[in-house]
């Protein structure tokens, strides 16, 4: 049994055969989380992983199906961290996933410097000064706008957590590409893989996936484009598999 609060509901992560607690007024994950969880490098048999800005824990849940490693999810908002923790318990993943309610800024002081193989982050996308685009929900505003955490601060925290040779994976908007690369290189993270995501063929990219290696050598690869929808509005085969698994 699971204790749902307010307008919370139970949704299914079909490809992973897991369930997750979501709320339309507090937090619901988007396709970006699915893409990041699949894009990021995972140490299969072991290792240590941190997901920054974990929200309701969706990325740790996705990643738990790809690795036997231990996963820590960091979430600033107490309500979201509580939702994430209840989802972990619901799926009997307490031995693999730990949810911490805390600030991403300086989190290495709490959980350890340079100990982790992989750090993932789906950070707030929008500058704090974009008042016109603020969400009515405070929870969504903090999750989507840089009011509590900037991109630079998120990259710095990822670097502090990673061991040498560890990998950081971010999802963001293409317009912030140069900001991301600049911050990564400032904090010893060398970009190695980039993939642009497009709503459909003929449209501009609206999502960016990027992975960097701590103290890596320069050698950036641009991966093939990922298209979300076909012309008829249905998901492409690749996205269908990400969402629903092999049919």
């Amino acid at each position: 049994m699971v204790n749902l609060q307010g307008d919370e509901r139970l949704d299914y992560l079909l490809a992973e055969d897991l369930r997750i607690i979501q709320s339309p007024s507090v937090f619901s994950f988007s396709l970006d989380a699915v893409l990041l969880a699949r894009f990021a490098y995972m140490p299969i048999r072991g290792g240590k992983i941190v997901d920054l800005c974990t929200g309701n824990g969706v990325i740790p849940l996705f990643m738990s199906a790809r690795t036997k490693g231990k996963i820590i999810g960091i979430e600033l908002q107490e309500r979201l961290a509580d939702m994430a923790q209840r989802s972990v318990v619901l799926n009997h993943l307490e031995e693999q996933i730990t949810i911490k309610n805390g600030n991403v800024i300086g989190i290495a002081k709490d959980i350890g410097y340079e100990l982790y193989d992989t750090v993932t982050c789906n950070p707030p996308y929008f500058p704090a000064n974009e008042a016109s685009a603020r969400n009515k929900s405070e929870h969504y505003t903090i999750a989507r706008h840089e009011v509590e955490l900037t991109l630079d601060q998120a990259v710095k925290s990822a670097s502090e957590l990673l061991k040498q040779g560890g990998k950081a994976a971010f999802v963001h908007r293409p317009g912030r590409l140069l900001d991301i690369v600049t911050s990564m290189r400032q904090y010893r993270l060398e970009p190695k893989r980039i993939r642009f995501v497009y709503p459909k063929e003929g449209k501009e990219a609206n999502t960016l996936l990027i992975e960097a290696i701590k103290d890596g050598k320069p050698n950036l690869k641009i991966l093939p484009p990922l298209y979300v929808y076909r012309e008829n509005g249905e998901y492409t085969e690749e996205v269908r598999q990400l969402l629903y698994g092999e049919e």
Side-chain angles (χ1 to χ4, degrees), residues 6-139:
D7 62 357
E8 291 177 352
R9 66 177 189 266
L10 272 181
D11 286 343
Y12 284 89
L13 308 180
L14 295 176
E16 291 73 19
D17 193 26
L18 297 172
R19 291 179 293 173
I20 186 169
I21 298 169
Q22 305 224 87
S23 163
S25 64
V26 178
F27 189 91
S28 298
F29 75 88
S30 67
L31 180 61
D32 293 0
V34 184
L35 298 176
L36 177 61
R38 295 292 188 152
F39 174 78
Y41 162 79
M42 286 292 109
I44 298 175
R45 299 189 179 279
K48 302 173 73 173
I49 302 148
V50 179
D51 179 50
L52 303 176
C53 310
T54 205
N56 65 345
V58 62
I59 290 175
L61 290 175
F62 279 131
M63 295 191 299
S64 70
R66 297 184 54 208
T67 179
K68 299 295 184 183
K70 301 291 186 180
I71 305 169
I72 301 175
I74 308 297
E75 174 51 48
L76 175 65
Q77 299 190 63
E78 185 176 358
R79 176 71 192 280
L80 273 65
D82 177 65
M83 290 170 63
Q85 179 59 36
R86 284 183 283 132
S87 289
V88 169
V89 173
L90 176 66
N91 291 286
H92 309 292
L93 290 169
E94 300 97 315
E95 294 298 315
Q96 185 179 14
I97 300 175
T98 300
I99 302 297
K100 287 186 174 290
N101 177 206
N103 200 324
V104 167
I105 301 169
I107 190 61
K109 294 178 183 178
D110 181 23
I111 64 174
Y113 288 91
E114 300 189 337
L115 296 178
Y116 299 91
D117 300 281
T118 299
V119 174
T120 56
C121 186
N122 183 359
Y125 289 158
F126 307 109
N129 59 5
E130 290 188 7
S132 62
R134 293 284 187 92
N135 299 93
K136 293 181 180 179
S137 164
E138 179 185 4
H139 298 290

Side-chain angles (χ1 to χ4, degrees), residues 59-243:
I59 290 175
L61 290 175
F62 279 131
M63 295 191 299
S64 70
R66 297 184 54 208
T67 179
K68 299 295 184 183
K70 301 291 186 180
I71 305 169
I72 301 175
I74 308 297
E75 174 51 48
L76 175 65
Q77 299 190 63
E78 185 176 358
R79 176 71 192 280
L80 273 65
D82 177 65
M83 290 170 63
Q85 179 59 36
R86 284 183 283 132
S87 289
V88 169
V89 173
L90 176 66
N91 291 286
H92 309 292
L93 290 169
E94 300 97 315
E95 294 298 315
Q96 185 179 14
I97 300 175
T98 300
I99 302 297
K100 287 186 174 290
N101 177 206
N103 200 324
V104 167
I105 301 169
I107 190 61
K109 294 178 183 178
D110 181 23
I111 64 174
Y113 288 91
E114 300 189 337
L115 296 178
Y116 299 91
D117 300 281
T118 299
V119 174
T120 56
C121 186
N122 183 359
Y125 289 158
F126 307 109
N129 59 5
E130 290 188 7
S132 62
R134 293 284 187 92
N135 299 93
K136 293 181 180 179
S137 164
E138 179 185 4
H139 298 290
Y140 274 97
T141 295
I142 292 173
R144 294 176 175 174
H145 297 261
E146 295 182 328
V147 293
E148 298 287 349
L149 179 73
T150 67
L151 173 59
D152 191 74
Q153 290 167 332
V155 172
K156 180 181 180 182
S157 290
S159 180
E160 290 174 343
L161 292 167
L162 284 171
K163 62 177 64 172
Q164 188 175 37
K167 297 182 178 181
F170 281 69
V171 61
H172 217 292
R173 293 291 179 254
R176 300 296 298 277
L177 173 58
L178 295 183
D179 295 333
I180 297 170
V181 171
T182 299
S183 289
M184 283 183 164
R185 285 189 154 175
Q186 180 180 352
Y187 298 113
R188 299 167 53 196
L189 299 177
E190 183 61 32
K192 302 290 283 188
R193 294 194 300 141
I194 288 178
R195 192 173 194 189
F196 292 101
V197 183
Y198 300 79
K200 60 176 62 174
E201 289 192 47
K203 299 292 186 180
E204 292 184 0
N206 61 357
T207 304
L208 166 73
L209 297 162
I210 183 168
E211 184 180 75
I213 294 180
K214 188 168 183 177
D215 296 327
K217 295 181 180 179
N219 184 22
L220 177 64
K221 294 182 179 179
I222 307 297
L223 303 181
L226 172 59
Y227 299 106
V228 176
Y229 295 105
R230 298 172 176 167
E231 286 301 320
N232 62 6
E234 296 180 355
Y235 285 125
T236 61
E237 184 60 30
E238 182 173 1
V239 171
R240 281 188 59 81
Q241 289 187 10
L242 293 178
L243 291 171

